[in-house]
Amino acid sequence: MTRHHTLPLVGLMLIPLALATSCAERGASPTGTAAPPVASPAEGRLQEGALLSSFDLGIDLVAASATLTPHRAATAIGDTYSELGLAPAFTEMFGRNFEVLGLRHSGSGDVEVDFRIRHPFAPAIRPDLAIFNVKAWVVSDEPATNLAGVATVPDLVTNAAGYGRMWLDTAASAPAFAAAPVQPYILMREDTGSDPFNYQQPAGFNVLFPGMTSEATLALRLTPASQVRFRIYLTADYGQSAVRATRQNPQYELPQFAGNAPWKINVTELANSLEAGDPTSSAEYKVDIWDWKHGYSLGSDVVSATLEIPGVTAGPLTLSLSGTGQDPSPLTATTFVVNTSNAAEGEYWGLVTVTDQAAAGVGLLEDLRTPVTITSYTTYQCFPVQVTFSPLGDPPIAVLSRACPGEAVAPGALISLDGSGSLPGSSAIVDFEWDFDYDGSLFQIDATGALVSTSYPSETTKVIALRVRAADAQTDLATTLVTVLPTAAWGAPVRLTNTFSQKELFDTSQNTSNALSVGPDGRVHLTWFTQLPYQVWHQSFMPSPTPIIWDTPEMIYSSGGGGLGHVSCQTGPDNVTHVMYTLNSAGRPRQSVSKSGGTWSAPATVPASIHPGQWDRCLMIGNAAGTMGFLGQWSRGDQPPAGSGLPALPNDMYFSTLNAGVWSPLTRIGGADVVTSEGGSARVPSHALVGTADGEWLAVWESLYTPFPGGPTGVPSLCKLIWSQTSTGSWPAEGTDLYNDGPDYDLPILARSPNGRIWLGARIGSSGDAWGLVTYEGGSWSPSFTQIFSPTGVTFSRLPCTQFSFDSQGRGCLLVSYREPTAPVQAKFFLQDDTLPTIAACTQQVIEPGLTGVGKPMCQIASHGDGRYTAIWLTTKYNPGNPYTENTEIEYATWE
């Protein structure tokens, strides 16, 4: 629908379209002789402000130049002077003070003409000479388009501040040509940094004072082949009168003298899904309206605003406005439009109509020989609207399902594949095609039908692809990964630390007494602590060749006495292993060490800004960029000693990063209700950290309040999950509630699969013995937890311990253990693209059966990268009467 306009070297002379109010220029009385008014038969006399001057605009696209030819003689502007009493000298001055600065082609294809206007008087304190709201009206001989009864040219000026009706004079000396009655204009003076307009003492963003200059750009949609003629009219919403004696205190008669309609309208398309053939498709628009008279009790407020798209909407939609009408708060409304007219594909023009409070009638009586009838108090704005057309409608959606897709299968085992869950689009699915060895580009049909099966004779990894084809020839593809291994089972459990003793705190159910990590070289690192004496140990192995052979354990730290310890282990992309642990000394500070080239660094406090104090469940993990991240919860308890120079910390979550061996200052990422010291808490919350695919961070933590003896009574327990994510290296002001169902959620863990999807696991259920998953992708979380593990062998409520691991191909493994003396250690395999219900339906593989009197309070799992996994867990004699238990050992098993 967009028209391309061409133009001659010089534009055609047009009749003047802007009428003038009276003006006492330098104290002189208006001059001119009265003349009977001549009305346009279609529109009547319409006034939008004082005429400052008029010009022919000529544009030469070949020479890239533009010229202005002013109309200085009264006869050239018809009888406007005589009718409105405007002094010809005043308009002649503006004719000499309006110029073209340059012409250029914009990047969007428009032709842009830059103008400058100067106030004709030198700088002086002359409020009677201030000019309000200078506009440059662009009048052309282009044929008009009828938009809901409004005749205008909507696609010529692409940066119009608005459209309005103007009086069409018929001077005998002016060449006559047809011009649309509603014309666009641009603003010659707009300074939104100034104060709002003050009509009693001229001030504000749209006032042109004596001595002032202002510049503006006119954008035209033109082509070199166009033939279009222009006239430019300068007007001002000018309504003041004074004689020499009162020129410092003129009479402002707004809106009687000035233009009354709003002076600027902007339409922003927020969203557009309008589609041909779909009468329910819609778009959303934001409309901003500036009216410097709104709210000044001048009888010229905006009373109504509508938006319509002829051919799309059934009629005008009323806009509900809010705001003041001035910067920084224009009158604003947002509205949805629906394709109720079932518009065909193409470009349409929308129309916003804003109506003023003032009623039509006789106006401009003072200093006029003949009254002028004002019939329009309306400003318009035009905006383009695109309606798209999809000849094929919605495509189908391929859905491929099979039993437990993450589990490996044996050679020759039958694999049943189901595509019947695929969803049709606008037309039915007619073909189900399968490629059992899809290479990611070339699809070769190996089978057809919604239900098929296949098998593989030997060890391999294959991608199976399903392609569905609809009746309109549209297709969609879904894939699944198949791992074939000769023996796909967990090996027998092996005791690793049968010469070390540990003590396990009753509530330390999260994985904080041991930690696993895998480096780029494939080496698996295990770090754990013992108590009595307090020691931190490290041990590692290379997964190949098999069987696994562990290196000799290394003691990283040793101290007498006992105490609760937390340990984190992370191997970076440079194969440097970092270990962080809690000391058993008063204040429980954190230390970190790293190992590179076979040598451990000296222990260092983490860092000076992370001061000694009561840190709980501090975690260290790496992100995609290779940076180490620290996440810790500062609980009620120790504060730094006087004179240490370290600040006291509110109870909250804190974050820091390790780069080039240096820890960054602490960043507080909480702000929501984490554990409080007022009334205390019986236990501390747990938390998890993960690096996102783009090198950012995402953290989840538990907000827990539990009254304890001596604390407030009658206060219920509260437990909810809170999350926060960095953006360009910065955390938001505080975390956001994720799920809040009372005390049901606990012990969150996080992992990121190779496709960038983030997985969050947490304890769920009223008894707290079940475990579930939610996922985060595309900026949002899945709506609710899906229970993944059933508490097999649990005789009473105990907290589950869980962990993830993903290999490079996107196969994941979930590991779960319980402190229950009869609960087994179990695992479940899945694929990174699986739905949560699919994962829930997969088999729970028992790694170690539940043993009488032996619990498994903590577990870890690591992928070797070649399809094998190692699971590690603690075994401990369970003693309900004593929260501490001696001789807690580490066991492991390998899946291959």
Side-chain angles (χ1 to χ4, degrees):
M1 176 167 177
T2 300
R3 290 178 290 190
H4 299 283
H5 311 273
T6 48
L7 39 129
L9 298 183
V10 179
L12 176 71
M13 306 263 298
L14 291 188
I15 51 178
L17 301 188
L19 301 190
T21 62
S22 72
C23 166
E25 185 269 314
R26 296 184 178 176
S29 299
T31 60
T33 57
V38 180
S40 165
E43 298 295 337
R45 298 179 180 278
L46 307 173
Q47 185 270 344
E48 280 292 350
L51 174 67
L52 299 180
S53 194
S54 66
F55 308 82
D56 287 330
L57 172 64
I59 298 178
D60 186 343
L61 292 181
V62 177
S65 64
T67 58
L68 285 172
T69 304
H71 307 144
R72 294 190 175 93
T75 56
I77 312 181
D79 61 350
T80 302
Y81 294 136
S82 60
E83 180 160 329
L84 296 180
L86 180 67
F90 199 64
T91 61
E92 186 173 344
M93 290 179 181
F94 271 99
R96 296 196 303 266
N97 288 276
F98 183 62
E99 60 180 330
V100 172
L101 295 179
L103 178 146
R104 64 183 178 276
H105 289 274
S106 71
S108 62
D110 292 347
V111 173
E112 295 183 346
V113 184
D114 296 324
F115 295 112
R116 176 191 290 154
I117 188 172
R118 296 184 182 89
H119 196 288
F121 289 88
I125 303 177
R126 290 290 303 275
D128 60 315
L129 296 179
I131 302 173
F132 312 147
N133 202 20
V134 181
K135 301 175 182 176
W137 296 77
V138 185
V139 181
S140 72
D141 65 346
E142 281 291 281
T145 298
N146 189 315
L147 297 179
V150 177
T152 188
V153 181
D155 55 347
L156 178 60
V157 178
T158 62
N159 66 333
Y163 291 70
R165 297 177 183 269
M166 300 183 67
W167 181 58
L168 303 180
D169 194 12
T170 55
S173 58
F177 69 83
V182 173
Q183 295 290 340
Y185 60 83
I186 62 172
L187 300 175
M188 289 302 305
R189 166 69 178 157
E190 183 180 13
D191 179 9
T192 57
S194 301
D195 295 331
F197 175 74
N198 183 341
Y199 73 96
Q200 294 176 326
Q201 293 294 328
F205 45 73
N206 54 3
V207 179
L208 189 69
F209 296 99
M212 181 179 288
T213 65
S214 184
E215 298 177 3
T217 298
L218 168 65
L220 299 167
R221 185 64 50 83
L222 301 170
T223 67
S226 293
Q227 294 294 324
V228 60
R229 296 175 292 183
F230 296 97
R231 178 167 282 187
I232 304 295
Y233 291 92
L234 291 179
T235 69
D237 292 347
Y238 184 74
Q240 58 187 24
S241 62
V243 294
R244 182 177 297 273
T246 61
R247 62 186 181 180
Q248 294 300 322
N249 187 24
Q251 176 185 7
Y252 300 98
E253 304 199 38
L254 301 176
Q256 183 179 6
F257 273 72
N260 295 277
W263 59 281
K264 179 181 174 183
I265 301 174
N266 186 63
V267 181
T268 304
E269 184 178 85
L270 301 179
N272 187 350
S273 59
L274 293 169
E275 186 173 324
D278 183 1
T280 65
S281 59
S282 64
E284 183 180 14
Y285 293 91
K286 179 176 180 285
V287 178
D288 294 308
I289 302 167
W290 287 263
D291 182 11
W292 53 267
K293 299 174 294 302
H294 190 84
Y296 279 101
S297 302
L298 298 173
S300 186
D301 289 350
V302 171
V303 293
S304 69
T306 61
L307 181 148
E308 59 186 314
I309 307 173
V312 177
T313 60
L317 305 173
T318 300
L319 302 178
S320 179
L321 301 174
S322 62
T324 66
Q326 302 185 24
D327 277 310
S329 177
L331 297 170
T332 299
T334 58
T335 186
F336 282 93
V337 299
V338 180
N339 187 15
T340 53
S341 298
N342 201 8
E345 178 189 16
E347 187 179 63
Y348 295 78
W349 285 100
L351 180 71
V352 172
T353 303
V354 183
T355 304
D356 195 87
Q357 176 183 355
V362 177
L364 303 175
L365 296 177
E366 298 185 18
D367 299 319
L368 291 179
R369 304 296 191 274
T370 303
V372 174
T373 300
I374 302 176
T375 61
S376 176
Y377 292 88
T378 303
T379 299
Y380 306 93
Q381 183 59 282
C382 303
F383 58 98
V385 177
Q386 191 69 39
V387 177
T388 61
F389 178 60
S390 177
L392 300 177
D394 296 328
I397 299 175
V399 178
L400 192 167
S401 62
R402 63 188 179 97
C404 301
E407 296 179 6
V409 297
L414 197 64
I415 304 171
S416 298
L417 303 166
D418 186 355
S420 61
S422 300
L423 303 175
S426 299
S427 59
I429 296 175
V430 294
D431 290 314
F432 296 84
E433 300 167 335
W434 300 85
D435 185 345
F436 297 146
D437 188 14
Y438 183 56
D439 63 3
S441 58
L442 178 62
F443 190 97
Q444 295 181 327
I445 301 176
D446 295 321
T448 59
L451 302 175
V452 299
S453 62
T454 189
S455 63
Y456 299 90
S458 59
E459 179 177 351
T460 186
T461 299
K462 296 292 186 181
V463 174
I464 296 176
L466 163 66
R467 184 172 65 188
V468 295
R469 188 185 309 276
D472 59 6
Q474 293 194 89
T475 63
D476 190 39
L477 196 74
T479 62
T480 186
L481 182 72
V482 175
T483 302
V484 181
L485 292 176
T487 56
W490 287 97
V494 179
R495 178 157 293 186
L496 178 63
T497 59
N498 54 7
T499 58
F500 299 97
S501 63
Q502 279 187 321
K503 292 176 66 175
E504 182 255 324
L505 186 66
F506 186 80
D507 270 332
T508 308
S509 302
Q510 199 186 26
N511 306 315
T512 55
S513 67
N514 57 75
L516 275 179
S517 69
V518 181
D521 60 359
R523 179 170 290 274
V524 179
H525 298 266
L526 169 66
T527 307
W528 75 93
F529 72 84
T530 66
Q531 299 188 49
L532 298 174
Y534 186 96
Q535 295 175 337
V536 180
W537 290 84
H538 172 267
Q539 199 168 4
S540 66
F541 69 88
M542 288 297 292
S544 181
T546 57
I548 289 176
I549 300 177
W550 289 86
D551 295 340
T552 303
E554 300 174 279
M555 187 174 64
I556 298 174
Y557 177 82
S558 179
S559 175
L564 174 64
H566 302 286
V567 63
S568 293
C569 179
Q570 187 68 212
T571 303
D574 52 2
N575 281 313
V576 175
T577 299
H578 303 269
V579 176
M580 178 184 289
Y581 50 88
T582 302
L583 296 181
N584 65 332
S585 58
R588 291 156 57 188
R590 303 291 294 180
Q591 283 190 346
S592 70
V593 295
S594 61
K595 183 178 183 180
S596 177
T599 303
W600 288 98
S601 65
T605 301
V606 182
S609 60
I610 304 180
H611 58 74
Q614 191 160 334
W615 290 99
D616 289 299
R617 289 187 173 90
C618 300
L619 302 176
M620 181 174 62
I621 198 165
N623 70 359
T627 300
M628 297 298 116
F630 161 87
L631 181 67
Q633 191 267 327
W634 177 258
S635 178
R636 61 183 179 85
D638 305 322
Q639 292 292 348
S644 67
L646 299 174
L649 297 181
N651 298 328
D652 215 333
M653 302 302 304
Y654 293 88
F655 176 79
S656 180
T657 56
L658 176 66
N659 286 290
V662 178
W663 286 97
S664 68
L666 282 178
T667 298
R668 185 181 181 185
I669 70 172
D673 40 288
V674 187
V675 173
T676 176
S677 59
E678 292 78 13
S681 174
R683 42 190 287 227
V684 295
S686 54
H687 45 268
L689 179 70
V690 69
T692 63
D694 56 0
E696 297 286 338
W697 300 94
L698 186 145
V700 175
W701 63 92
E702 177 189 13
S703 172
L704 177 68
Y705 176 81
T706 305
F708 63 87
T713 60
V715 180
S717 297
L718 172 66
C719 178
K720 60 184 176 182
L721 290 181
I722 299 174
W723 74 288
S724 188
Q725 183 181 3
T726 55
S727 176
T728 63
S730 299
W731 293 91
E734 62 179 34
T736 303
D737 287 2
L738 179 57
Y739 297 100
N740 183 6
D741 280 0
D744 293 343
Y745 297 113
D746 199 359
L747 306 177
I749 62 171
L750 285 170
R752 177 173 59 84
S753 50
N755 63 356
R757 195 178 191 185
I758 292 177
W759 304 75
L760 166 64
R763 179 178 70 103
I764 63 173
S766 58
S767 62
D769 53 12
W771 192 81
L773 272 177
V774 289
T775 57
Y776 177 78
E777 53 188 333
S780 61
W781 293 92
S782 51
S784 61
F785 276 97
T786 298
Q787 181 172 329
I788 302 299
F789 275 103
S790 299
T792 305
V794 177
T795 57
F796 58 93
S797 176
R798 299 308 312 155
L799 302 179
C801 308
T802 52
Q803 197 51 267
F804 294 95
S805 187
F806 288 92
D807 64 20
S808 60
Q809 293 180 312
R811 186 177 61 179
C813 185
L814 297 172
L815 185 68
V816 63
S817 64
Y818 287 83
R819 295 186 67 250
E820 284 293 320
T822 57
V825 179
Q826 300 174 92
K828 179 176 289 193
F829 290 95
F830 65 102
L831 297 180
Q832 62 183 352
D833 295 318
D834 286 348
T835 64
L836 298 183
T838 299
I839 300 172
C842 288
T843 306
Q844 295 181 195
Q845 301 175 348
V846 175
I847 302 176
E848 181 184 78
L851 302 176
T852 303
V854 178
K856 290 89 178 176
M858 300 176 192
C859 62
Q860 298 279 325
I861 188 166
S863 166
H864 298 183
D866 59 358
R868 292 181 296 157
Y869 292 83
T870 292
I872 291 179
W873 62 91
L874 299 186
T875 61
T876 179
K877 293 180 180 180
Y878 180 71
N879 185 352
N882 183 356
Y884 293 96
T885 304
E886 299 289 347
N887 298 321
T888 300
E889 305 292 351
I890 297 178
E891 291 186 336
Y892 73 93
T894 300
W895 188 90
E896 55 186 342

